[in-house]
Amino acid sequence: MQKILLLAAFITYFSTLNAQTPRQEIRRNQRFSASTFMAYLTPRTTLTPAPKDKHPFFISHYGRSGSRYHSKMKNYDAPWEVLSKADSLGKLTPLGRDVLQRVTMIRQEANNRWHELTPLGYQQEQQIAQRMVERFPEVFEGNAEIDARSMVFLRSIMSMESALLQLVTLRPQLQISHEASLSDKSFMNSSDYRLKKTRKDSIALLQFSKFVSKHPTKHRFLRKLFNDMNYVRQHVDIDEFSDLMFKLATNQQNTKLSSQVTLYDIFSHEELYTNWKKDNVWWYVNYGAWPQNGGGQPYTQRRLLREIITDADEFIQSGQHGAHLRYGDDVVVMPLICLLDLNGLGLVTNNLESLESKGWVDYRILPMAANIQFVFYRKDPQDQEVVFKVLLNEREATLPLPADRYPYYRWSDFRQYYLKKLDAYGK
């Protein structure tokens, strides 16, 4: 019976997930081409009621920062410089000159804001916090304990503070502690030199290069911007310029100018899809369980997962109610999702062409403000059968565990399964 229910949950999830292919979604809405620059989508799903007599008492959360500007000034300066120089030499078409004006506006709006949240990013974090309170009010009753920590990046700190400001506005009596400290780096932003080295070994790089070569970007948009292709071939780094223009176009949805300025009109649907496809595979190759580089990249977050388990155990024993909120980076959230095998995203495959059909679609997994929430339930502090569910981007997710009350799992099953998995990797 447990297996039947688990299978039904997987079928329901993936039938919804694959209602449209990425190619179709990108054609319908160009912003889906943004990969992990995709702005967070407000969840529209209804949550499954809690098991009888069980009440939420604790949330363990880890999320990436909300919508932000690009992290490097080069992303704005380099394409602007290429277009400006070409304009001074009379090498731009009328559309090219118009695009130069748009890039100038984008660059000015982002000036000295690299790494920072955009106004949309603040809003996303506040709304996620508000929905936590609305969905699980018992967790935030009275003087509930809220422990918040972030990586020592400005965008992470401001994501945390935005969420806490919303919480204290809704629940003034909350007991809140918060910090951003390098002392938490071992689990908040852990790194592994050995795994990083295998991720970029020569064989893995060669295999990824072969995939990229099979899906070349045609760069047709260049002919729309420049009136002299000989000039472009001689004086423009075509691949770099194309990549940076694509990144400007896709991240524009996260900024204040999103309703005023677009660059999507210069790209064809096929160019958008092809660029997205390569980005999607890049995330799997670097942070998924790709066998070509050893399949171990998700284990970069093994310390974080142990921390989540230990942290939850201690809170359960305390008899209190509240939440632990952690704010980090995309390169932490993605491998943690894979390590947990949420929604089957710990998939192991050498066939990079099959990722889309198997549900590996990065904008669904890791948009801006992506988050994982473990929501714990029990009857009272003496209840020994603690159950929980896990939400990915505030939607109920599956785990590779028995579940006779899906989406609810026994915490004891989770501890046993994942501690065994982590111990096996250590050996």
Side-chain angles (χ1 to χ4, degrees), residues 217-274:
T217 305
K218 302 300 184 182
H219 305 314
R220 293 189 179 95
F221 81 98
L222 295 173
R223 296 184 181 276
K224 300 178 183 179
L225 306 184
F226 299 92
N227 58 29
D228 185 345
M229 290 306 294
N230 285 328
Y231 168 82
V232 173
R233 284 186 283 269
Q234 294 173 20
H235 299 284
V236 177
D237 184 330
I238 292 176
D239 288 336
E240 179 183 70
F241 177 73
S242 299
D243 182 60
L244 291 174
M245 287 297 292
F246 178 68
K247 282 183 167 60
L248 278 186
T250 56
N251 195 52
Q252 195 53 20
Q253 62 187 277
N254 296 296
T255 72
K256 289 193 294 185
L257 294 177
S258 61
S259 62
Q260 304 172 44
V261 180
T262 184
L263 294 173
Y264 272 133
D265 59 309
I266 67 176
F267 296 99
S268 68
H269 290 298
E270 195 61 29
E271 285 172 317
L272 292 176
Y273 171 72
T274 301

Side-chain angles (χ1 to χ4, degrees), residues 8 93 137-138 146 204 210 244 265 276 286 314 358 372 406:
T93 65
E138 298 97 325
I146 310 298
K210 287 182 178 179
L244 291 174
D265 59 309
W276 168 78
N286 282 274
E314 292 177 353
K358 293 183 177 179
I372 303 168
Y406 176 82

